[in-house]
Amino acid sequence: PGNLIHIEHARNKNQDEHEQGTHPGWPAELLLRYGTEAQKQRFIPAICRGECFFSIGMSEPGAGSDLSAVRSRAAQQADGSWRLNGQKIWTSGAHLNHYMIALVRTSGDADSRHSGLSQFIVDLAAPGVTIRPIPDLNGEVDFNEVFFDNVELPADALIAPVAASHVVHVRSALLFAEPDIKSTVLKTHPMGTRLAGSGDVGGWLALAAGGYV
């Protein structure tokens, strides 16, 4: 499904208006696997029409790509909504995109490591969201810092069960990374061609890691 969504998205999107910085099929495939029916109906057609663009919000200062070290936190309110505080960094396309799928803590703390993590759809135009571009040496912008200051999220912004296992979020991250993992395997390992055609993402990841060791 992700490839079909990517094709439809590419056919419809206006490159002059948006350069989203993430694989366009990734947010749709994530929602197809883990989203609610209402989220699928709201966002997937808009993604395919090239009207809705997402950033991925995982990396944080002091945490890098270690998802288990995430400290941004969403606290549930009495009415079922959520209040989000924290910061993401190296967020591609946040200055252009409409939404972020953010990995944050909903219980425990960073010492809990592999539990208490949830993903939310965050409107990047919402009150309390501040986007600070990080220019490169040429003065061009792709990456951003994104700050959350008491951002109010509706109850239906939550993707998948609250405080789901760490494995769910690693799998969703692999949906985003899958094209690069395949490319690395094909280029660096003699078994790459067979595995890349097998759908074994775990195998691709293992070989990709081995290619760098």
Side-chain angles (χ1 to χ4, degrees), residues 182 184-198 200 203-204 207:
K182 277 187 176 181
T184 298
V185 168
L186 286 169
K187 292 177 182 177
T188 63
H189 201 282
M191 289 289 288
T193 302
R194 188 165 69 183
L195 266 174
S198 72
D200 180 5
W204 306 333
L207 287 185

Side-chain angles (χ1 to χ4, degrees), residues 36-116:
T36 66
E37 188 59 33
Q39 289 168 344
K40 295 172 187 177
Q41 294 296 325
R42 178 182 176 185
F43 291 108
I44 291 175
I47 292 170
C48 290
R49 292 193 299 265
E51 298 171 354
C52 187
F53 295 80
F54 283 79
S55 291
I56 181 172
M58 292 190 179
S59 296
E60 295 190 359
S65 299
D66 180 3
L67 303 187
S68 64
V70 163
R71 294 183 180 276
S72 293
R73 178 175 294 272
Q76 192 165 28
Q77 308 301 295
D79 63 357
S81 65
W82 299 84
R83 183 170 296 164
L84 174 61
N85 286 279
Q87 178 185 356
K88 296 296 179 180
I89 196 167
W90 308 121
T91 306
S92 297
H95 60 303
L96 297 175
N97 293 343
H98 303 103
Y99 296 95
M100 172 193 289
I101 294 180
L103 178 67
V104 304
R105 292 207 169 272
T106 47
S107 63
D109 54 36
D111 293 332
S112 303
R113 302 297 289 178
H114 302 128
S115 62

Side-chain angles (χ1 to χ4, degrees), residues 160-182:
V162 66
S165 72
H166 186 249
V167 172
V168 169
H169 304 296
V170 170
R171 285 176 178 168
S172 70
L174 287 175
L175 290 177
F176 170 68
E178 181 178 318
D180 292 331
I181 293 170
K182 277 187 176 181

Side-chain angles (χ1 to χ4, degrees), residues 133-150:
I134 305 173
D136 62 21
L137 292 177
N138 294 321
E140 298 177 353
V141 173
D142 181 30
F143 299 116
N144 301 266
E145 294 178 280
V146 182
F147 300 87
F148 309 116
D149 183 13
N150 289 321

